[in-house]
Amino acid sequence: MDGVVLVLNQNYEPLNVCNLPRAFRMVFGERAEVLEYDHQSIRTPRAEYRAPAVIRLQHQIHRPRPRVKLTRREVFARDGHTCQYCGRKGVELTLDHVVPRHRGGSDTWDNLVTACKACNHRKGSKLLDEARLRLARRPFEPRCDVYSVFTPYLRDDRNESWRSYLFLGH
Ligand SMILES: [Zn+2]
């Protein structure tokens, strides 16, 4: 019994991947329903079962939203390695607090931006208005790409039926 099964939450959101024995246990325990079958069947002394490829939980599981860790690297990546004040690229970059720390600004996604050294210096401990600087766009928390967990499985033809569930609403 090899092969993997895509597990969807009750609301059809992809949750995780499990192996076949676990998927069978969930289906027979009435904790999940089968949405798609695999091409293989599993034979037991008494019966033959079609293997599931995609199952859906009967009850919604609440789990915290996966988040991108706040690091220099991730802030630079979010901002496309571009100074958010002057738009320069390919220069030495620093992290700038939009509201300086000693004026109540915190280390959060919406208060940290990528800045070149010159803009960072010009801004210093001032607020945007005081420094006469404008941001290219409002800083935000990037969305975690949960689909990157599932997409490698699509290289296996047997998991082809996952595709329509992974990209629902995409
Ligand atoms: Zn700059």
Side-chain angles (χ1 to χ4, degrees):
M1 262 210 282
D2 68 335
V4 284
V5 179
L6 174 65
V7 184
L8 306 179
N9 215 337
Q10 197 207 15
N11 65 359
Y12 291 90
E13 206 177 287
L15 258 189
N16 52 42
V17 173
C18 76
N19 59 25
L20 268 180
R22 191 173 150 71
F24 271 118
R25 279 200 302 277
M26 290 200 282
V27 171
F28 290 134
E30 291 182 355
R31 282 182 288 135
E33 63 166 337
V34 180
L35 295 181
E36 298 284 340
Y37 287 95
D38 201 340
H39 302 297
Q40 59 176 325
S41 348
I42 308 299
R43 226 181 260 277
T44 71
R46 275 184 295 171
E48 193 175 317
Y49 302 98
R50 290 167 73 201
V54 181
I55 63 174
R56 172 187 169 229
L57 298 184
Q58 305 284 46
H59 298 285
Q60 180 77 8
I61 278 183
H62 294 279
R63 59 156 188 192
R65 185 164 60 100
R67 307 181 85 157
V68 179
K69 208 171 159 205
L70 178 62
T71 61
R72 270 172 90 80
R73 227 181 71 184
E74 294 291 353
V75 172
F76 290 170
R78 178 198 65 189
D79 296 340
H81 300 271
T82 306
C83 173
Q84 294 300 290
Y85 296 114
C86 70
R88 273 205 292 171
K89 235 180 154 136
V91 291
E92 204 185 332
L93 298 171
T94 60
L95 271 191
D96 181 67
H97 287 80
V98 180
V99 176
R101 245 188 300 209
H102 73 276
R103 297 180 71 168
S106 48
D107 290 322
T108 49
W109 281 109
D110 55 5
N111 194 48
L112 285 168
V113 293
T114 305
C116 71
K117 288 233 151 141
C119 290
N120 190 265
H121 184 75
R122 177 172 162 197
K123 179 133 178 315
S125 57
K126 298 192 272 293
L127 298 173
L128 288 174
D129 290 354
E130 297 166 358
R132 293 170 184 279
L133 283 169
R134 284 181 60 174
L135 286 169
R137 62 173 177 185
R138 242 174 73 183
F140 58 94
E141 178 176 343
R143 274 178 59 160
C144 190
D145 181 16
V146 289
Y147 293 90
S148 61
V149 176
F150 302 105
T151 42
Y153 289 97
L154 294 176
R155 274 181 231 130
D156 187 333
D157 290 341
R158 289 179 300 174
N159 301 327
E160 189 56 34
S161 63
W162 293 19
R163 203 172 281 277
S164 49
Y165 296 92
L166 289 178
F167 301 110
L168 269 181
H170 268 248

